[in-house]
Each structure stands twice: as structure tokens, then as C-alpha cells.
Amino acid sequence: MAPSNTNPVAVADEVLQKSRVTVVGSGNWGSVAAKLIASNTLNINSFHDEVRMWVFEETLPSGEKLSEVINRTNENVKYLPGIKLPKNVVADPDIEHAVKDANMLVFVTPHQFMEGICKRLIGKIRKDAVAISLIKGMEVKKEGPGMISTLISEILGISCCVLMGANIANEIAVEKFSEATVGYKENKEIAEKWVRLFNTPYFMVSAVQDVEGVELCGTLKNVVALAAGFVDGLDMGNNTKAAIMRIGLREMKALSKLLFPSVKDNTFFESCGVADLITTCLGGRNRRCADAFARNGGKRSFDELEAEMLQGQKLQGVSTAKEVYEVLSHRGWLELFPLFATVHEICSGRVAPSAIVEYTEHSARLPLL
């Protein structure tokens, strides 16, 4: 047998240089993201096979821990039932342990929990780590709105891209064709690495240099989806719904460009823009809950509907609508964005769901658009 020419030092270096990925979050979309990523890490030499997935530990009705069931059955029985995860996905209920070896961190949790999560991770991650956010939402403080990618970058001191798109998780889980957009700030090489990690024959990913535009599209479309749900719940028909979607896209673009003048027009024609808006207004959880809210005449709260309809998932649109309203109110822009303003007023019970079409009489007050 011929002696091996493999240099053990070179092999060790190659192993050390391979990227390790951790998914921070294990809900519906987090589990699908882990499935996508893990199918690629097995086949791309520059990544370690194993993908860790941080699980907020829960006790199931059977008495078992969710993380233990995921690792035993390769299935997130609570948030993605019926879908097998690759065997190289390892559920880990200890967030510090889950992230400690990873240099690629994928954040996919409800946006309202992100500040606390990031603070827990200070000093616990690798110095060469980079991040990507799949989170729809924003943080509102007195000084103005903050994007989740900015929050991650500022608290952890790392680069953060975003991934958004027309991505209803259950459809991607069964490998129906879908697209997504990676938004990046400056480093195209890191963005392309994220594209390689997520891209599959059924999940086509492209990159654009517009992190704020991509992230705001993913955030603001949930507010428009609530409006579309109100229209459905009131049986107003497809013409009205199309009008709401068009006006919503217009307000999305106008607000994005007011907040961040660098936002590019073309971003709204990527998957993260018009495509995500369409799919969320047709089939997303925000639309479904808003439909039920309107059918009940606003008498049942969104908290109650969320608990009944979403099996533990979180509704993002209602909190985002409140955050957007706070920004608009603080800056004196409420009259410029009647759709966004009205959605929050309906969600908070100030006006009836039917007000979603009554605001259009003020459309002449939209000089910015």
C-alpha cells in the first residue's frame, strides 16, 4: 500500500478554517432555516457538517423536553411537525454553548426578544463571528427607529447581513420553489458566503447592497398584510385588496427612503419587496389573524387570536404597526402614511376594522409619494 501524502497539519488547518454555523431560534422559520442550511453544510467543504440550533426549552404535553425530542426524532414536533430535519441539525437548549464555536450566526427569533438575547451573548461568541438576521421587525427608541441588524452589530460588535423574501416557511419546508434576498452593507464576499449557505435548487438566493432597504421591506410588509387581512375579513373583495397592497407598497417605499435615503428603488422589485408583500398578503399568519379579527368585529384581541391560531408562534405585524406608529407620530408624519396609521388604530381598538378603506379620502395628502 502506497504511503499517504496527506499532511496532518494541513488537514488540521483545513478543519479549523471550516465555518461553523449556529441558528439562534427554533420556531417555524428557524427550523426551516436550519433544514436549508444543514442540507448545504453536508455538501460544501468550507462548512462543518454540524449545524447547532438553539432551542428555547419547553416541556411538551408528553412531559418530554422539546430539544430532546428534536434530537431523538429529527423533527421539531411543536413548530414544524411532519418535516424531518437533517441528522446534522443538533438542538441545544443552552444558548451560550450553542454559539461558542460558531463563526456564522443565523438569528431567527421574534424581534421583541432580540435585545435580551444579544446582551446574553456579549463576550460569548467568537471574535471572527459574522451574523445574518432573518427577523422581521424594528426597535423604536426616542432617538428613532433601529433595525434589528443594527442592534446585533452594535451590541455584539460584528457584521450583520439580512435575509428576507417571499418565504412562507411551511412551503419551503416541503421544498416548493421560493426566492430570497440577502442584503449587505459593504462586504460582498461575506454576502456571497451567506448566499452559498442558503441557496438550494428550490430556494434561490441573490444579494443586494442595501441592508436597510431589504430589512425594511421584510418588516413593513407585515403591517400591510394586516390591512389585507382586514379587507378579507370584511369580504371586501380582490379589487379592494389589490388597492390596499399597492398603497401599502407605496408607503413602504416612501417610509424606507425617508428613514434611510440610501435605500435603492430596485430593492422593492427583489423577492424581499413586492414578492414578499404579495405572498404575505395572500397567505401569511398576519393576514390570517387580521381576517379573524375583522370577522369578529374587533371584539377578540390579537393576543387571544394568536394563542388560538398560531400554536405558539408569534404575530409580528401588530407590534411592528405600533412601532411604526410611534415613529410616524414622533416625526409628525402620520398624515403622510394613512394606511400604516390606520392599521395601528384598528389593532389598538381606536377605530373599527372597516376604517381600513375609509382613510382613502385623505389620499390627496400624500405629496411625498
Side-chain angles (χ1 to χ4, degrees):
M1 183 171 139
S4 169
N5 292 323
T6 305
N7 181 338
V9 176
V11 170
D13 281 348
E14 187 184 333
V15 169
L16 286 170
Q17 286 166 10
K18 285 189 173 189
S19 293
R20 286 186 180 271
V21 184
T22 290
V23 178
V24 180
S26 58
N28 185 239
W29 186 208
S31 299
V32 173
K35 178 180 184 286
L36 280 168
I37 291 165
S39 68
N40 279 336
T41 60
L42 287 174
N43 297 311
I44 303 174
N45 287 334
S46 54
F47 296 103
H48 275 279
D49 288 356
E50 183 182 278
V51 174
R52 293 225 155 231
M53 180 173 74
W54 174 60
V55 174
F56 180 78
E57 192 66 283
E58 300 177 55
T59 303
L60 299 173
S62 64
E64 292 180 281
K65 302 286 189 194
L66 178 59
S67 63
E68 293 171 3
V69 173
I70 293 172
N71 288 332
R72 179 170 56 78
T73 64
N74 303 117
E75 182 181 338
N76 188 333
V77 293
K78 179 164 186 183
Y79 296 109
L80 194 63
I83 301 293
K84 287 296 178 188
L85 301 175
K87 290 187 171 146
N88 55 320
V89 174
V90 178
D92 191 336
D94 181 339
I95 191 168
E96 292 178 20
H97 184 263
V99 303
K100 74 182 178 72
D101 294 324
N103 63 328
M104 297 185 79
L105 301 172
V106 179
F107 287 97
V108 53
T109 67
H111 76 277
Q112 55 267 39
F113 303 140
M114 272 308 297
E115 185 170 6
I117 287 170
C118 287
K119 285 179 174 173
R120 281 179 66 186
L121 297 181
I122 293 172
K124 309 295 184 186
I125 62 172
R126 282 173 50 166
K127 288 190 167 47
D128 63 343
V130 294
I132 194 165
S133 170
L134 280 58
I135 298 165
K136 277 101 174 183
M138 64 169 67
E139 186 195 33
V140 176
K141 294 189 170 173
K142 284 180 185 171
E143 57 271 26
M147 306 316 298
I148 300 300
S149 62
T150 306
L151 177 123
I152 293 166
S153 291
E154 288 179 351
I155 295 179
L156 296 178
I158 59 177
S159 153
C160 187
C161 295
V162 297
L163 182 142
M164 307 281 157
N167 304 148
I168 291 177
N170 289 336
E171 294 182 12
I172 300 165
V174 294
E175 305 187 2
K176 292 181 178 178
F177 181 79
S178 181
E179 299 176 310
T181 311
V182 167
Y184 69 97
K185 220 177 202 67
E186 291 155 359
N187 194 324
K188 190 174 184 184
E189 195 177 320
I190 290 176
E192 287 173 346
K193 195 169 183 181
W194 287 117
V195 169
R196 284 197 302 279
L197 185 64
F198 280 93
N199 195 67
T200 72
Y202 63 89
F203 191 71
M204 298 285 281
V205 186
S206 57
V208 296
Q209 191 173 5
D210 184 7
V211 69
E212 290 90 1
V214 172
E215 191 166 7
L216 276 163
C217 281
T219 297
L220 297 174
K221 56 93 190 193
N222 282 332
V223 182
V224 185
L226 291 173
F230 298 146
V231 166
D232 285 344
L234 295 166
D235 293 320
M236 289 179 171
N238 290 328
N239 294 342
T240 309
K241 188 169 177 179
I244 288 291
M245 291 164 68
R246 182 192 68 79
I247 295 164
L249 180 62
R250 188 172 67 177
E251 291 196 10
M252 285 167 57
K253 182 180 171 189
L255 182 57
S256 298
K257 291 176 84 78
L258 276 175
L259 294 174
F260 298 97
S262 63
V263 166
K264 298 174 181 173
D265 287 348
N266 284 346
T267 299
F268 295 90
F269 296 99
E270 298 287 342
S271 178
C272 63
V274 65
D276 193 9
L277 177 67
I278 290 168
T279 199
T280 308
C281 289
L282 295 180
R285 67 183 81 159
N286 291 282
R287 189 219 65 79
R288 279 193 293 128
C289 287
D291 181 324
F293 182 86
R295 287 186 192 281
N296 285 281
K299 300 288 192 296
R300 297 184 67 197
S301 72
F302 273 104
D303 285 343
E304 189 183 342
L305 293 168
E306 176 187 88
E308 180 183 300
M309 298 174 69
L310 299 185
Q311 288 80 50
Q313 295 177 57
K314 289 293 173 192
L315 196 62
Q316 297 292 293
V318 176
S319 54
T320 301
K322 180 175 183 288
E323 290 153 357
V324 168
Y325 192 91
E326 287 171 7
V327 172
L328 299 178
S329 180
H330 181 69
R331 301 204 177 186
W333 294 346
L334 281 172
E335 287 196 357
L336 298 174
F337 296 93
L339 179 67
F340 287 165
T342 304
V343 168
H344 172 63
E345 288 165 357
I346 293 170
C347 291
S348 58
R350 290 186 215 171
V351 297
S354 59
I356 199 61
V357 293
E358 290 162 11
Y359 80 87
T360 51
E361 67 196 60
H362 302 302
S363 59
R365 298 186 194 173
L366 299 173
L368 276 173
L369 312 177

